[in-house]
Amino acid sequence: MAMEVESAKCECCELREECTRGYIVGVKAAFGGRWLCGLCSEAVREEGRRKAGSTMEEAIQDHINFCKQDHIAHGLRQMLLRRQRQRRSK
Ligand SMILES: [Zn+2]
């Protein structure tokens, strides 16, 4: 029997992964209804272990903020690089 596969999007880094429905449901249950990719869920678990006393929700929020900052920094760098290249090609 073929396993049912769905596309899930990470709430942190927006990575898409093909996962079985059972796996998606399990991850969502662990992270308060959010689906996180393998890397992000590992990071959140690690964060939760490191900061004793913080809730899973706090660890998730921390990681989402971290990912967003990283995204912005990455986007800015890409934009600057593109501009430089355009200038050089003229
Ligand atoms: Zn992710």
Side-chain angles (χ1 to χ4, degrees):
M1 196 185 97
M3 265 197 282
E4 209 180 328
V5 170
E6 285 180 22
S7 169
K9 194 171 99 174
C10 178
E11 296 261 351
C12 285
C13 64
E14 303 193 343
L15 181 95
R16 278 190 178 278
E17 261 180 39
E18 300 283 308
C19 304
T20 61
R21 182 184 283 268
Y23 177 73
I24 293 172
V25 169
V27 171
K28 281 188 176 173
F31 296 113
R34 294 183 183 85
W35 190 83
L36 304 181
C37 71
L39 276 176
C40 288
S41 61
E42 258 312 298
V44 167
R45 285 199 184 101
E46 189 62 44
E47 187 82 7
R49 268 195 294 265
R50 213 148 36 87
K51 284 190 197 164
S54 74
T55 62
M56 179 61 85
E57 187 60 33
E58 282 169 348
I60 294 168
Q61 280 303 330
D62 274 3
H63 189 68
I64 288 176
N65 289 337
F66 175 77
C67 271
K68 291 235 164 86
Q69 278 168 13
D70 207 47
H71 259 261
I72 292 165
H74 185 74
L76 276 176
R77 226 175 299 139
Q78 291 291 319
M79 201 180 73
L80 288 172
L81 274 175
R82 232 175 288 141
R83 274 198 198 153
Q84 277 179 355
R85 269 188 223 125
Q86 276 171 355
R87 238 176 260 153
R88 251 178 250 154
S89 68
K90 267 177 197 164

